[in-house]
Amino acid sequence: MASRFWTQGGSDTEEEESDFEDEIENVGAAETTGTAAGSRYLQANASDSDDSDGQKRVVRSAKDKRFEEMTVTVDQMKNAMKINDWVSLQESFDKINKQLEKVMRVTESDRVPNLYIKCLIMLEDFLAEALANKEAKKKMSSSNHKALNSMKQKLKKNNKQYEELINKYRENPESEEDKHEDEDEDEESDGSGSEFEDPSQLGESTDEEDETEEPDDDAADGAWEKKLSKKDKLMDREFKKDPSEITWDTVNKKFKEVVAARGRKGTGRFEQVEQLTFLTKVAKTPAQKLEILFSVISAQFDVNPGLSGHMPINVWKKCVQNMLVILDILVQYPNIVVDDMVEPDENETQKGADYNGTIRVWGNLVAFLERIDNEFFKSLQCIDPHTREYVERLRDEPMFLVLAQNVQEYLERVDDLKSAAKVALRCVELIYYKPQEVYDAMRKLAELSEAADGEKDCDEPKVEESRGPSAFVVTPELVSRKPTFPENSRSLMDILVSLIYKNGDERTKARAMLCDIYHHALFDEFSIARDLLLMSHLQDNIQHMDVSTQILFNRAMAQVGLCAFRVGLIAEGHGCLSELYSGGRVKELLAQGVSQSRYHEKTPEQERLERRRQMPYHMHINLELLEAVHLICAMLLEVPNMASNTLDSKRKIISKTFRRLLEVSERQTFTGPPENVRDHVMAATRALCKGDFQKAFDVINSLDVWKLLRNQENVLEMLKAKIKEEALRTYLFTYCSSYESLSLDQLTKMFDLTEAQTHSIVSQMMINEELHASWDQPTRCIVFHDVEHSRLQALAFQLTEKLSVLAESNERAVEARIGGGGLDLPLRRRDNQEYAAGPAAVGGRWQDFTFTQGRQGTSGRSGYSAGGRPLALGQAAAAGYSRDRSGKSRGTGGYYGRTGSGMRGSQMDASARMVSLNRGVRG
Amino acid sequence: MASYDLTPQIAPNLDRHLVFPLLEFLQERQLHPDEQILKAKIELLNKTNMVDYAMDIHKSLYHTDDVPQDMIERRAEVVARLKALEDAAAPLVSFLQNPNAVQELRADKHYNLQMLNDRYQIGPDQIEALYQYAKFQFECGNYSGAADYLYQYRALCTNSERGLSALWGKLAAEILMQNWDIALEELNRLKEIIDSKSFSSPLNQVQSRIWLMHWSLFIFFNHENGRTQIIDLFNQEKYLNAIQTSSPHLLRYLATAFIVNKRRRPQFKDFIKVIQQEQCSYKDPITEFLTCVYFYYDFDGAQKKMRECEEVILNDPFLGKRVEEGNFSTVPLRDEFLENARLFIFETYCRIHQRIDMGVLAEKLNLNYEEAERWIVNLIQNSKLDAKIDSKTGTVLMEPNHPNVYEQLIDHTKALQGRTYKLVSQLLEQAQAPAQAAR
């Protein structure tokens, strides 16, 4: 049986074997052929001599026998793999190990046969696959599962011995292809393990094959698929044999045939790619070559069928190369137009290179480019960021940028600016998150690798061309293979972004704007980033956009917050970040990890979706730094605020998150030394509450996230100054009742501030009526006034306040019923106007929801202490306060809607209620 | 001082003709070399039809009597074109000059057009010609003629786009003729259109607003009520946003207006915040003065800034307008500004002090001791300041200002009654209405 197969072994194609799949008894034999054929084939290739087993087998029959045994076992294993039967797989594995010993004994060498190594690799891959596929794992029977686990252990132990060999084998390009092929096949349920060898043959030797191989037309076979492949072969050979006879028609016919087979069951995806690649070489006209190249790329996209996995990296690279060739052709023949709207004429591509009119070819460059980018993104998502592989993969980025730049250039030349904008966006999205250092590194890498690649590149295509004996349409490299980067990433961004603003559609523009904002924020240009955000109205309508844009918005907000902190705008920074943290799902909002929620189980579907939109690791915003910044901002705002209203617990709370954390930490009986960011900030808070700025700063300074900042010293300096200021304020708030007067000198000494600073801070507090005191200029002292209300008075004030709240709620209730408009109280009207004006104004909304924190803080505070002020003002302040509250929750609600995937119901409801109330008032 | 010159920022937002007054002013102040300014003037005139004027400047610039050939050619061309336009518009112009005929016009635009067409054979072409003619007149520097024709054109035109540009032209002409009252009217009309009109793009609208604000500077700093009106206009949310986004230098004028005006405190606080926010995009001594006084409470700094402000005001074409009185000229705005700025400082200073040394105070106010004392006494007498002077120690003592708790309480609750009353009456009304309907 086997020998019969051997005679025809040369004509191996995977269809052949897959065809035999169902015939169980044949399987073993067929597989034998598969593997043996491989070696036989190698043997035929005298040049490939590193495979020792083939030759030795001929010499010694004992060894031969052992080998055969082994191959049989391997086949059994393959079968077991196909049906996912780990129990039998385990048995086979044990068996093969025993056989190995025998083989080794027989061959009397210490060299482990390649067959075995191959088998190990196959097993390893399959195991990884199985482990990754959790669903399937769940479905497994318990015995199977157990076998899987023990297999895992065994394999690990076993493979360690052969690690070197395995790696060597893997590094070998042929075997790498095997591996990928393997993965792919395993993904499809009907994929046959036996296929795994063929692509390598195909990949490396479609061309040589025909020269070296004996024709075996006479080989009999029944499978129609085989016939087809036979025909392919024939066709190919036909092409080879007499290049002059190849006509456009034959190529076209063949091309149609191959394309028609696409997606059909049993069509090898790799094989199709190879066939098409071959056809590009024999294409008669540039247009035809183009057409076929488009199909090649489509076929390459097909290689990975699943949504979750990514395209094999080498296929991706080839894909990029193909795109570049397409561009070469397009540049060389400007009369060829790529279009996906019109169905082109059947024989359009027949027109040769000398044809002058326009030739239409079906295709969509932008869609291809976007797909390539998506695949790149996906691969980065999938690869473990802590491996070398990830870094290697990142190095491919300039490659993509070259392509994008060329496509963009081409599109601009043909005046398709809309598409050019889309392409530009892809570039922007690769660049916007890079600080200047990373950008420089990328630039350098691009230059370096291009220098090295340049030579290699020159060789490679040549080799390819020369291998294909009949590349009829030779395409010179016209488009540059080297990306051009300006010195400064900002200037690059500016160029791209302005192109997009001019020509892009809404979504493209919005995304570009967000990237732009992010980039500005990254470069510490807070005011520009803020203005862009304000002018674009993005925060108004981001909730109507798709999730990934929302994520981008969140990222931009986070970055703007960090930027505000770095430049010392604490209140603004807090405004940007607090919303992100109030839900406790930062990870999810920034797409930097999946957060588990206790209360609400996600469906697998949701989980998968979420996983798919994760940011690759290198784009992450450091969460620890973010948290530290957020908490420190909150601390700086909240601590003096708490100190100023110790007596009144229901007063304005600036950061609820911070308060909650503080409560938790206060509840602890013993406080250990700080460990995480939170502990540090809490420890600093405790020190700050006592006015001990030095200790507070030291604690915060000891955080190690600061080394992530570029201008660490400046930021820490700023932070220290801020802490001093707030410590001073806190101190004054807390202890003002214990002093009759306090000299400026003493204060300056206590808090290590300059006189002017101290004076300015204290004066501010006086003006805002936070501190009931005034300066005594000749002696340079602060004199405190005793304006404490008596118990009765305080209660009376509380009562009046409650009354006005009551009146207000009555009015609201009535207005909601009647439809409003009736009550023309001057105060209320003003509020409504302001509300109405808010959204209409360019910057109104933004100010509402971020700057308000700071501003409302002061207005709220002054409202509170308005007790000591002229009467009319007191009331205005109270009303203003209530307005602030509603205004803020409105802002919050809006933001929530925007940020999440619309899942924070409760807050949404609350804010919706507020809004509708307001609306009632308005209407 | 030239660094605070805003002409380069302002000029792009003005009409060509409106830039002349600015250049004249600069020439007078001699901030820049004369030659540069003259060159700039010729540059400006190149695109207008005021060729004679350009020739004069050319002569004075190069001290020759020769005039370049292209100017002479241009002159001939302009004259020819003027003739042609005049002819085209002649029927309508003669109609409009006939008072009897004009009486026949009514408020109804359609009727008018119909009538003109039927009885005088004046069709849309002639009306269009009138517009072109008016425009040409304006270009030639004949502003009063242009203003008249544009006025009449507006009565007849049907194209709203054209009407709008006619209005702009009219405004420019009125400004250049210094008819401030009429200009103000036109300004308000224009503002209404800009605010109401659904512009093709928000960007366009913002741009129009910015132009309007720039043009209005001429009016507001010359009109008697201008200083309050400038706040009314600029401090509107939409206009303030336009300023913040595209032309923060206008903050100088708004700030000055705020300082010169004593009233309008509620908006003032917000305005300080705006200035604070825009610090990174625009600052000059005037805005810095405000931040010093109201944000940092740095009175020494404010002092310094005040001195700088004086310079800025003197060198600003809008703020530094001179009034000739007898044989010496004054800048009224400067005096007002300084007076008010001093008051600002003092007021804030007093709010946070309970005892101030008169000597220090005098120094802070840029006055000598005597003057300072007199000034404070004045303030106290006008009951603007609740303070006493202790002349023995040479200090001012502020009266503590703690409102009575009971008064506060009463005030808190006083409004409640009115509100409740109103609420009830409204409820009753509401209840009665359906009852009546049912009856």
Side-chain angles (χ1 to χ4, degrees):
Chain A
M1 183 85 195
S3 64
R4 202 198 123 224
F5 270 94
W6 281 355
T7 54
Q8 58 159 82
S11 74
D12 45 271
T13 54
E14 62 252 52
E15 282 88 354
E16 186 181 358
E17 275 115 26
S18 61
D19 196 41
F20 283 99
E21 253 172 52
D22 359 9
E23 301 169 46
I24 299 158
E25 54 175 314
N26 273 3
V27 167
E31 302 304 355
T32 325
T33 335
T35 40
S39 49
R40 160 81 186 267
Y41 169 60
L42 290 167
Q43 191 183 18
N45 270 350
S47 56
D48 260 358
S49 56
D50 64 330
D51 227 19
S52 53
D53 52 337
Q55 255 129 20
K56 276 177 192 163
R57 186 192 56 189
V58 183
V59 182
R60 282 183 222 173
S61 66
K63 192 196 159 200
D64 200 18
K65 222 168 107 194
R66 299 285 174 236
F67 257 102
E68 238 170 273
E69 271 174 24
M70 206 158 163
T71 35
V72 169
T73 325
V74 170
D75 293 331
Q76 277 168 2
M77 284 170 86
K78 279 177 193 158
N79 281 334
M81 273 185 204
K82 253 175 272 165
I83 53 170
N84 211 1
D85 183 0
W86 286 95
V87 182
S88 61
L89 199 60
Q90 201 179 352
E91 281 165 18
S92 311
F93 184 64
D94 291 342
K95 201 159 117 196
I96 204 169
N97 276 344
K98 271 182 211 139
Q99 284 167 346
L100 176 73
E101 279 169 35
K102 280 185 202 160
V103 172
M104 301 286 268
R105 218 178 308 135
V106 168
T107 54
E108 291 167 354
S109 77
D110 49 3
R111 207 177 165 303
V112 184
N114 269 356
L115 181 65
Y116 179 73
I117 298 295
K118 221 187 272 178
C119 165
L120 282 185
I121 288 170
M122 189 177 78
L123 265 176
E124 210 175 56
D125 290 337
F126 183 59
L127 186 76
E129 181 76 26
L131 286 174
N133 193 350
K134 272 182 194 147
E135 268 170 78
K137 216 164 117 187
K138 262 179 224 160
K139 279 186 213 149
M140 267 181 211
S141 68
S142 63
S143 63
N144 212 2
H145 197 254
K146 222 155 117 196
L148 167 67
N149 282 338
S150 67
M151 191 68 196
K152 192 168 79 179
Q153 309 284 344
K154 270 189 204 163
L155 199 65
K156 212 166 145 192
K157 221 160 89 190
N158 191 47
N159 279 13
K160 222 171 240 167
Q161 306 168 34
Y162 308 107
E163 209 165 35
E164 208 175 305
L165 281 168
I166 288 174
N167 283 340
K168 216 195 263 168
Y169 194 85
R170 274 186 197 268
E171 267 158 37
N172 195 350
E174 299 165 37
S175 44
E176 196 159 12
E177 280 213 8
D178 289 358
K179 192 182 73 186
H180 286 296
E181 177 71 350
D182 231 3
E183 275 167 16
D184 287 316
E185 278 156 9
D186 291 336
E187 251 163 62
E188 331 160 47
S189 53
D190 64 335
S192 57
S194 61
E195 264 179 40
F196 87 112
E197 216 165 357
D198 296 317
S200 69
Q201 284 176 324
L202 266 167
E204 99 207 80
S205 62
T206 18
D207 304 324
E208 305 153 58
E209 208 170 17
D210 300 286
E211 288 148 30
T212 53
E213 220 171 35
E214 300 297 349
D216 45 9
D217 300 16
D218 47 347
D221 40 54
W224 70 271
E225 269 158 302
K226 175 151 182 182
K227 260 186 205 154
L228 178 90
S229 66
K230 209 76 199 170
K231 213 163 77 193
D232 291 352
K233 216 116 269 165
L234 274 173
M235 189 77 87
D236 292 352
R237 199 164 307 113
E238 199 177 300
F239 289 147
K240 291 291 151 47
K241 269 176 183 161
D242 9 49
S244 54
E245 276 171 32
I246 302 173
T247 61
W248 179 85
D249 270 326
T250 46
V251 178
N252 193 42
K253 212 169 107 212
K254 176 69 192 142
F255 169 59
K256 291 268 148 60
E257 206 173 272
V258 177
V259 169
R262 180 182 172 188
R264 233 181 255 160
K265 203 174 167 194
T267 317
R269 298 198 173 89
F270 265 98
E271 190 209 17
Q272 199 178 21
V273 171
E274 292 304 332
Q275 280 175 339
L276 286 168
T277 315
F278 174 71
L279 277 177
T280 58
K281 281 176 199 133
V282 296
K284 288 299 265 187
T285 64
Q288 190 177 37
K289 183 167 178 183
L290 202 63
E291 195 182 13
I292 299 172
L293 271 172
F294 275 124
S295 302
V296 172
I297 293 174
S298 299
Q300 279 169 333
F301 286 145
D302 280 350
V303 163
N304 173 45
L307 263 172
S308 46
H310 63 88
M311 197 160 148
I313 288 162
N314 53 347
V315 177
W316 185 88
K317 283 182 181 163
K318 273 185 197 146
C319 202
V320 172
Q321 293 305 334
N322 281 333
M323 280 295 277
L324 286 171
V325 174
I326 286 181
L327 284 171
D328 282 336
I329 297 176
L330 286 174
V331 170
Q332 197 184 3
Y333 304 99
N335 58 338
I336 300 179
V337 176
V338 176
D339 202 343
D340 64 341
M341 301 304 283
V342 213
E343 195 60 40
D345 192 12
E346 182 78 352
N347 293 332
E348 189 90 355
T349 55
Q350 194 163 10
K351 296 158 186 166
D354 44 356
Y355 182 77
N356 280 331
T358 47
I359 304 172
R360 291 183 181 282
V361 177
W362 185 91
N364 188 346
L365 287 175
V366 180
F368 281 162
L369 185 89
E370 287 183 339
R371 179 74 194 265
I372 289 177
D373 184 33
N374 289 345
E375 291 293 345
F376 183 63
F377 189 83
K378 262 200 278 184
S379 67
L380 285 171
Q381 276 178 331
C382 295
I383 300 170
D384 179 5
H386 304 290
T387 55
R388 249 182 75 83
E389 200 187 353
Y390 193 81
V391 182
E392 289 291 320
R393 185 67 181 140
L394 272 180
R395 280 165 183 266
D396 293 338
E397 203 171 66
M399 198 165 165
F400 176 75
L401 279 171
V402 176
L403 180 62
Q405 274 176 352
N406 282 322
V407 171
Q408 191 190 331
E409 219 167 86
Y410 172 74
L411 289 172
E412 275 173 42
R413 207 172 315 136
V414 299
D415 220 31
D416 186 0
L417 291 174
K418 250 195 146 116
S419 313
K422 274 187 201 162
V423 177
L425 177 68
R426 293 289 166 160
C427 288
V428 166
E429 286 186 13
L430 281 182
I431 292 167
Y432 76 96
Y433 58 86
K434 290 189 170 70
Q436 185 66 36
E437 292 83 9
V438 179
Y439 177 81
D440 284 340
M442 183 181 76
R443 229 183 59 186
K444 222 171 279 164
L445 170 77
E447 273 161 21
L448 275 180
S449 68
E450 283 311 317
D453 255 20
E455 294 145 34
K456 217 169 52 179
D457 254 359
C458 290
D459 298 343
E460 244 176 311
K462 259 182 225 154
V463 171
E464 239 170 74
E465 297 284 351
S466 60
R467 256 204 296 182
S470 49
F472 293 112
V473 184
V474 183
T475 333
E477 279 189 21
L478 288 175
V479 284
S480 88
R481 298 295 203 256
K482 190 168 176 167
T484 44
F485 294 120
E487 276 284 316
N488 197 331
S489 63
R490 186 66 247 162
S491 46
L492 180 60
M493 280 292 278
D494 281 336
I495 296 166
L496 292 172
V497 161
S498 54
L499 175 80
I500 297 172
Y501 291 160
K502 238 178 269 159
N503 305 307
D505 56 17
E506 275 310 305
R507 181 174 180 273
T508 316
K509 271 196 275 191
R511 283 189 78 94
M513 179 66 88
L514 287 170
C515 293
D516 204 13
I517 291 168
Y518 189 104
H519 194 261
H520 275 299
L522 204 62
F523 281 71
D524 281 352
E525 312 216 37
F526 176 74
S527 58
I528 298 176
R530 180 199 59 194
D531 286 349
L532 280 177
L533 199 61
L534 294 186
M535 282 192 287
S536 60
H537 291 271
L538 274 172
Q539 71 274 27
D540 293 344
N541 43 25
I542 191 74
Q543 68 268 42
H544 303 306
M545 300 204 186
D546 55 322
V547 179
S548 99
T549 310
Q550 288 183 354
I551 289 168
L552 188 59
F553 178 81
N554 292 340
R555 282 166 57 77
M557 282 305 278
Q559 197 56 248
V560 171
L562 286 178
C563 168
F565 174 77
R566 284 195 301 259
V567 297
L569 300 166
I570 301 296
E572 282 82 348
H574 181 255
C576 294
L577 297 180
S578 63
E579 308 295 345
L580 218 50
Y581 273 90
S582 52
R585 35 203 336 165
V586 205
K587 274 189 189 168
E588 191 183 328
L589 291 178
L590 293 175
Q592 298 188 353
V594 191
S595 58
Q596 253 74 43
S597 149
R598 243 177 303 164
Y599 306 108
H600 137 284
E601 211 40 48
K602 277 183 218 127
T603 62
E605 180 63 21
Q606 272 175 326
E607 213 162 298
R608 213 170 311 130
L609 276 175
E610 205 177 321
R611 216 170 281 284
R612 210 171 298 154
R613 62 175 96 99
Q614 291 300 307
M615 285 289 143
Y617 184 74
H618 66 290
M619 292 170 76
H620 281 197
I621 298 172
N622 187 290
L623 285 177
E624 249 181 41
L625 179 65
L626 201 64
E627 191 183 14
V629 167
H630 168 242
L631 287 178
I632 289 168
C633 286
M635 173 184 83
L636 288 175
L637 296 172
E638 189 69 80
V639 167
N641 182 39
M642 285 192 310
S644 71
N645 332 305
T646 36
L647 302 172
D648 218 340
S649 58
K650 73 174 164 60
R651 275 300 157 192
K652 223 177 116 57
I653 292 175
I654 293 173
S655 168
K656 269 196 185 138
T657 332
F658 182 78
R659 283 278 173 107
R660 216 174 40 235
L661 288 178
L662 194 61
E663 268 166 37
V664 170
S665 92
E666 268 167 4
R667 233 179 284 143
Q668 284 169 352
T669 330
F670 303 109
T671 36
E675 279 168 8
N676 54 17
V677 173
R678 223 174 264 181
D679 292 347
H680 275 85
V681 178
M682 287 307 133
T685 306
R686 276 192 293 274
L688 196 58
C689 281
K690 290 183 204 116
D692 185 352
F693 76 91
Q694 191 59 48
K695 191 175 166 204
F697 177 71
D698 287 344
V699 172
I700 284 182
N701 196 19
S702 66
L703 278 175
D704 48 3
V705 286
W706 297 125
K707 65 173 179 282
L708 295 171
L709 287 177
R710 214 173 331 145
N711 41 3
Q712 187 184 354
E713 282 93 41
N714 296 348
V715 172
L716 286 175
E717 201 61 33
M718 178 278 297
L719 195 58
K720 188 165 188 182
K722 292 276 172 200
I723 287 177
K724 278 183 203 167
E725 282 174 25
E726 298 308 328
L728 170 64
R729 280 158 56 83
T730 313
Y731 183 81
L732 284 178
F733 279 133
T734 319
Y735 299 107
C736 67
S737 53
S738 335
Y739 285 102
E740 174 72 20
S741 67
L742 199 56
S743 88
L744 180 63
D745 297 333
Q746 196 186 345
L747 273 183
T748 25
K749 222 182 288 161
M750 247 165 106
F751 291 97
D752 191 27
L753 286 161
T754 65
E755 244 169 59
Q757 270 175 316
T758 321
H759 189 273
S760 159
I761 294 166
V762 176
S763 300
Q764 252 169 17
M765 289 169 75
M766 287 174 184
I767 291 278
N768 294 333
E769 312 219 2
E770 295 164 327
L771 189 66
H772 301 288
S774 48
W775 291 102
D776 188 56
Q777 194 257 328
T779 52
R780 309 201 332 147
C781 279
I782 306 166
V783 179
F784 293 93
H785 304 306
D786 190 21
V787 281
E788 284 290 295
H789 293 153
S790 70
R791 172 101 180 118
L792 178 65
Q793 285 166 341
L795 283 177
F797 271 115
Q798 272 181 21
L799 181 66
T800 55
E801 220 161 85
K802 277 188 180 145
L803 277 176
S804 59
V805 169
L806 186 67
E808 188 137 317
S809 59
N810 266 340
E811 274 163 18
R812 279 202 183 159
V814 170
E815 275 172 46
R817 278 294 288 277
I818 301 175
L823 292 180
D824 43 9
L825 286 163
L827 274 174
R828 305 295 307 278
R829 214 174 339 140
R830 232 192 84 227
D831 294 351
N832 298 340
Q833 270 168 1
E834 264 171 40
Y835 172 62
V842 175
R845 280 297 288 271
W846 157 268
Q847 286 164 355
D848 248 9
F849 99 79
T850 43
F851 293 115
T852 34
Q853 300 285 3
R855 281 204 205 152
Q856 287 179 346
T858 48
S859 72
R861 256 181 249 151
S862 67
Y864 167 49
S865 48
R869 259 217 218 164
L871 297 169
L873 259 178
Q875 208 186 15
Y881 172 64
S882 73
R883 175 176 62 85
D884 283 353
R885 219 166 16 179
S886 71
K888 205 163 59 117
S889 65
R890 175 162 50 82
T892 317
Y895 186 69
Y896 267 113
R898 273 163 236 148
T899 47
S901 10
M903 279 188 290
R904 14 220 86 64
S906 60
Q907 282 102 327
M908 272 292 264
D909 283 350
S911 67
R913 224 180 305 132
M914 294 310 288
V915 172
S916 69
L917 256 182
N918 278 339
R919 258 193 212 125
V921 171
R922 248 164 96 203
Chain B
M1 260 298 111
S3 57
Y4 294 121
D5 184 16
L6 288 183
T7 321
Q9 280 98 302
I10 291 175
N13 293 305
L14 291 177
D15 191 272
R16 235 159 231 288
H17 296 257
L18 290 174
V19 184
F20 279 108
L22 301 189
L23 290 180
E24 296 282 350
F25 181 88
L26 289 181
Q27 201 170 4
E28 210 173 288
R29 292 296 304 171
Q30 303 194 315
L31 282 177
H32 304 283
D34 238 16
E35 214 168 287
Q36 269 184 22
I37 291 178
L38 285 178
K39 268 188 189 151
K41 272 188 178 175
I42 291 189
E43 193 85 344
L44 270 180
L45 287 167
N46 263 346
K47 295 272 170 58
T48 70
N49 296 331
M50 296 152 81
V51 191
D52 288 339
Y53 189 32
M55 286 177 180
D56 288 345
I57 294 172
H58 185 86
K59 282 176 199 162
S60 69
L61 177 58
Y62 297 107
H63 306 291
T64 60
D65 281 344
D66 302 327
V67 176
Q69 190 58 34
D70 56 332
M71 277 195 183
I72 295 170
E73 276 166 23
R74 176 121 171 89
R75 185 168 194 283
E77 192 187 309
V78 165
V79 172
R81 179 133 168 76
L82 183 65
K83 267 272 167 313
L85 282 171
E86 204 173 351
D87 289 345
L92 190 54
V93 171
S94 65
F95 163 80
L96 291 168
Q97 272 161 358
N98 179 357
N100 292 334
V102 173
Q103 295 227 316
E104 285 178 51
L105 292 175
R106 296 194 201 158
D108 185 2
K109 231 181 218 178
H110 267 290
Y111 169 83
N112 284 345
L113 290 178
Q114 191 69 34
M115 194 240 347
L116 281 174
N117 207 359
D118 293 351
R119 221 155 344 135
Y120 298 90
Q121 282 79 47
I122 296 173
D125 288 346
Q126 274 80 10
I127 296 175
E128 172 66 22
L130 181 68
Y131 172 79
Q132 296 296 352
Y133 184 52
K135 188 166 175 228
F136 204 78
Q137 287 282 3
F138 181 82
E139 299 275 287
C140 290
N142 179 5
Y143 303 125
S144 68
D148 286 347
Y149 293 137
L150 284 174
Y151 174 73
Q152 278 148 350
Y153 172 75
R154 271 185 39 77
L156 293 172
C157 90
T158 45
N159 183 344
S160 67
E161 264 322 291
R162 266 291 152 74
L164 191 63
S165 54
L167 204 49
W168 280 107
K170 180 101 189 335
L171 176 61
E174 297 296 347
I175 289 173
L176 287 164
M177 288 190 298
Q178 313 208 331
N179 291 334
W180 306 124
D181 284 323
I182 303 172
L184 192 61
E185 271 171 40
E186 301 293 340
L187 183 77
N188 285 333
R189 208 168 291 154
L190 205 50
K191 174 176 177 283
E192 251 166 56
I193 294 177
I194 290 173
D195 285 347
S196 65
K197 202 175 168 199
S198 44
F199 265 80
S200 52
S201 74
L203 202 68
N204 227 328
Q205 198 168 18
V206 169
Q207 195 54 50
S208 305
R209 287 206 176 108
I210 286 175
W211 282 342
L212 191 73
M213 282 189 282
H214 278 97
W215 293 32
S216 71
L217 290 177
F218 287 98
I219 304 169
F220 288 142
F221 285 103
N222 286 302
H223 197 268
E224 54 202 279
N225 269 338
R227 286 168 206 170
T228 43
Q229 277 163 341
I230 191 177
I231 300 177
D232 286 338
L233 179 71
F234 282 24
N235 210 37
Q236 277 178 34
E237 183 94 40
K238 292 174 200 159
Y239 286 84
L240 202 57
N241 276 325
I243 293 178
Q244 280 180 278
T245 46
S246 358
S247 51
H249 53 269
L250 287 176
L251 284 176
R252 172 193 286 184
Y253 300 102
L254 189 53
T256 315
F258 264 119
I259 294 172
V260 175
N261 268 289
K262 280 164 210 153
R263 286 169 296 140
R264 297 184 191 275
R265 278 304 145 83
Q267 290 139 315
F268 188 61
K269 262 199 163 166
D270 291 333
F271 179 65
I272 299 285
K273 271 171 210 153
V274 171
I275 286 189
Q276 185 63 24
Q277 224 179 76
E278 292 303 313
Q279 234 177 356
C280 50
S281 55
Y282 178 76
K283 62 179 168 191
D284 69 8
I286 298 181
T287 60
E288 278 172 333
F289 169 75
L290 284 179
T291 36
C292 272
V293 178
Y294 285 99
F295 198 79
Y296 296 116
Y297 303 98
D298 172 9
F299 300 101
D300 294 328
Q303 205 67 25
K304 262 181 236 145
K305 291 293 165 203
M306 210 160 96
R307 256 169 258 137
E308 284 175 34
C309 285
E310 202 177 334
E311 281 293 303
V312 170
I313 288 173
L314 284 179
N315 288 323
D316 189 288
F318 299 106
L319 303 176
K321 200 184 65 158
R322 283 161 188 282
V323 176
E324 305 286 336
E325 261 178 57
N327 49 5
F328 64 97
S329 69
T330 55
V331 179
L333 202 119
R334 173 189 57 178
D335 303 340
E336 248 176 283
F337 180 89
L338 291 184
E339 174 70 22
N340 278 307
R342 206 169 283 151
L343 202 62
F344 272 28
I345 297 182
F346 182 63
E347 212 174 73
T348 322
Y349 200 70
C350 289
R351 264 178 74 186
I352 55 170
H353 282 79
Q354 68 160 9
R355 202 152 62 105
I356 309 166
D357 188 72
M358 288 277 278
V360 177
L361 197 59
E363 195 187 302
K364 289 233 188 304
L365 293 172
N366 257 357
L367 298 169
N368 62 33
Y369 191 88
E370 241 89 292
E371 271 180 324
E373 189 169 346
R374 205 171 309 131
W375 196 68
I376 292 164
V377 169
N378 266 337
L379 279 181
I380 295 172
Q381 274 183 344
N382 296 339
S383 67
K384 274 189 180 159
L385 183 66
D386 209 1
K388 293 256 156 52
I389 295 177
D390 183 348
S391 66
K392 191 176 148 207
T393 51
T395 51
V396 184
L397 281 174
M398 304 295 146
E399 298 287 317
N401 178 26
H402 303 305
N404 191 320
V405 178
Y406 304 106
E407 268 177 41
Q408 279 183 53
L409 275 180
I410 291 167
D411 213 69
H412 268 228
T413 42
K414 206 160 55 184
L416 281 182
Q417 190 199 356
R419 280 162 80 180
T420 319
Y421 182 75
K422 213 160 210 163
L423 196 68
V424 170
S425 69
Q426 211 177 23
L427 261 182
L428 285 177
E429 251 173 55
Q430 199 65 23
Q432 272 162 10
Q436 276 171 355
R439 231 176 273 159

